[in-house]
Every structure is written in C-alpha cells, then in structure tokens.
C-alpha cells in the first residue's frame, strides 16, 4: 500500500461535524481510489506555504512519508494575504521558494512530489463570466513545476472551466451556501466531490496514478456518502489562532466505499 499525502489549506482539509456541511475536497478523494492507495490529509484551515512550513507541519508529515508515496501540494489562497505577514508570500519569489522546499523534501524521502494549482473561488462578473481569483500564483506554480520537473495538476484552470460551464446560479449548489452563510471559497459535499474528481483526472493525465489505482471516475458519487467526524480537542500549543488544529485524517478508499 502507498499513501497520498495532502498538504494544503481549508479548501482541501478534513472538516468536522461542527463545520458541516462544509467539506474539503480531500475528504472526497478516497471515493475515487482503489484499495492500495490511502489518503493522509494534512491540509489545515488558514495555512499558506509559509505558515505550514513555519509551524513545522511539513516536518510532521515527513516522519510518515515513505519511498513510493505521493506528496500532493496545493496552496495559494492564503499566500495571497498581503496584510498578514505570517502567511503572505510573493508569487515569483518566496512562494516559489517554499514550493521547492516541499518538492525537495518529498524527493529526499523517495516520494513523488506533485503540485496542484489552487481551486478557484466562485466569482462571476456582470456578464456571467467566471473570474480568476488567484492572481499570479497559478502561473508561478506552473513555472515551478516546469523548472523542477514536477507533475502539475492544473486545478485552477479546470475548476474555472467547471464554474463557467455551471454558471452563477448552479455553482451555488457546489459551494457552502446555507440559510445563514454565503461562502464562495469552501465547498459542500457535491462541490468537494466535483473537485476531487478533477484532481483524480489530473493524476491520471499526468500518469502519477495508473488507471488500476482509481475507480468511479465517470460514476456519480452520492453526496450523502460524505460524513463528518466529531470535533477533536485542540492541543495546548495551538500553533496559530486562525483555525483550530486537527490531527491529520488518514482514510483508505475502503472507508468511503458506497
């Protein structure tokens, strides 16, 4: 068995029952993976490449990373936060430098690094055209992947195309729109499943995964299969105040079998 480790932010992170129906796309990945590939979701709400590294989260992940494993890295939402020095990175310098830290760390353990551009937020102009919301960060990641010879999953481009195809109204049913909240960044179960499907399609296109390692890529996944575990207690030394730390969630594809 090999493990797909996920390093990222709240769009991918494990969510708990106190946050439902918000759903990270990493929670839906096991639906598309055969036994023999498990997911270790180390994505954490509110993190950028900088804060994830500064808090030692990559070091923790590396203690479990083994030869043949995958390290899938998706950051960008919080690297954009210029007003927050704990998280901000400049796309063509510090952001790329940090991405290379992830790449080299994975390679040092005999694992395969994979970079994924950030999934797009829900945003449309007055004419109904889906908007790019991540500035230069996707282009900076594409260049880093090219120069570092790393597989690139272009989730920014694919999600933008998906939101455009669905349109302003239909996309509301993919994001965390509820009676009390209008969240154009985070997903509900259908949205998380849709983004996870894009991720797996890209893992196949780039030959990071073989077809025998995937399943249900063309099959509808019922949203009701998403579940949220009970909240966990934050450790005493919480590393940052912008979200409650959670233990990484490791799931095999068998846990999510319909």
């Amino acid at each position: 068995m090999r493990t797909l480790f996920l390093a990222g932010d709240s769009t991918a992170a494990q969510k708990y029952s106190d946050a439902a129906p918000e759903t990270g796309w990493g929670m839906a990945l096991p639906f598309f993976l055969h036994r023999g590939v498990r997911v270790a979701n180390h994505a954490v709400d509110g993190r950028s490449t900088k804060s994830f590294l500064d808090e030692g989260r990559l070091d923790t992940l590396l203690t479990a990373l083994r030869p043949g494993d995958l390290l899938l890295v998706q950051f960008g939402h919080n690297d954009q936060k210029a007003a927050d020095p704990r998280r901000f990175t400049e796309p063509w310098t510090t952001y790329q430098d940090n991405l290379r830290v992830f790449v080299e760390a994975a390679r040092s353990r005999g694992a395969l690094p994979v970079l994924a551009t950030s999934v797009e937020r829900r945003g449309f102009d007055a004419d109904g055209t889906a908007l790019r919301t991540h500035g230069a960060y996707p282009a900076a990641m594409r260049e880093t992947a090219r120069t570092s010879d790393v597989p690139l999953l272009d989730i920014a481009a694919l999600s933008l195309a998906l939101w455009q195809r669905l349109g302003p109204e239909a996309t509301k049913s993919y994001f965390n729109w509820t009676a009390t909240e209008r969240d154009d960044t985070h997903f509900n179960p259908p949205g998380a499943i849709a983004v996870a499907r894009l991720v797996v399609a890209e893992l196949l296109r780039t030959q990071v995964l073989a077809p025998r390692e995937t399943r249900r890529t063309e099959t509808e996944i019922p949203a009701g299969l998403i579940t949220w575990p009970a909240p966990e207690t934050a450790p005493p030394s919480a590393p940052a105040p912008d979200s409650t730390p959670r233990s990484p969630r490791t799931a095999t594809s068998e846990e999510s079998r319909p």
Side-chain angles (χ1 to χ4, degrees), residues 5 14 18 28 37 43 52 55 100 121 174 200 212 250 255:
F5 287 83
Q14 172 70 45
D18 56 351
V37 181
F52 196 93
E55 293 168 9
R100 284 188 281 267
R121 300 178 177 93
Y174 285 67
V200 172
R212 68 178 181 276
T250 301
E255 290 181 281

Side-chain angles (χ1 to χ4, degrees), residues 9 41 76 84 92 170 190 208 253:
D9 55 34
N41 192 347
D84 187 349
W92 298 106
V208 171
S253 56

Side-chain angles (χ1 to χ4, degrees), residues 52-233:
F52 196 93
L53 293 172
D54 287 349
E55 293 168 9
R57 295 180 182 274
L58 178 60
D59 295 333
T60 299
L61 184 158
L62 292 175
T63 63
L65 195 66
R66 298 291 181 264
D69 287 341
L70 308 174
L71 174 56
L72 174 54
V73 179
Q74 185 194 252
F75 289 101
H77 285 80
N78 298 302
D79 288 79
Q80 295 177 268
K81 296 184 183 297
D84 187 349
R86 296 174 307 137
R87 296 188 285 183
F88 176 67
T89 63
E90 199 283 327
W92 298 106
T93 56
T94 47
Y95 178 64
Q96 291 184 314
D97 291 342
N98 290 345
L99 291 176
R100 284 188 281 267
V101 171
F102 285 93
V103 167
E104 294 308 316
R107 287 174 169 163
S108 73
R109 299 302 197 278
L112 177 66
V114 180
L115 299 180
T117 55
S118 291
V119 60
E120 283 289 357
R121 300 178 177 93
R122 178 186 173 276
F124 294 86
D125 66 16
D127 296 323
T129 300
L131 301 174
R132 293 179 174 85
T133 64
H134 294 306
Y137 291 87
M141 180 178 278
R142 293 179 191 116
E143 179 182 273
T144 303
R146 178 182 59 81
T147 57
S148 299
D149 194 25
V150 175
L152 176 80
L153 317 183
D154 205 345
I155 306 306
L158 290 173
S159 58
L160 186 73
L162 177 58
W163 308 149
Q164 183 64 61
R165 186 162 66 252
L166 291 167
E169 286 303 314
T171 48
K172 293 176 184 177
S173 65
Y174 285 67
F175 284 80
N176 191 31
W177 276 53
T178 68
T180 58
E181 187 170 11
R182 295 184 176 185
D183 183 346
D184 290 323
T185 298
H186 304 100
F187 305 107
N188 62 13
I193 290 168
V195 175
R197 192 186 301 274
L198 295 179
V199 171
V200 172
E202 284 286 87
L203 289 168
L204 285 168
R205 180 188 63 81
T206 55
Q207 300 183 341
V208 171
L209 292 181
R212 68 178 181 276
E213 295 178 291
T214 66
R215 57 182 179 155
R216 303 191 189 91
T217 56
E218 304 295 332
T219 302
E220 181 178 354
I221 305 296
L225 293 176
I226 294 286
T227 59
W228 298 265
E232 298 176 358
T233 302

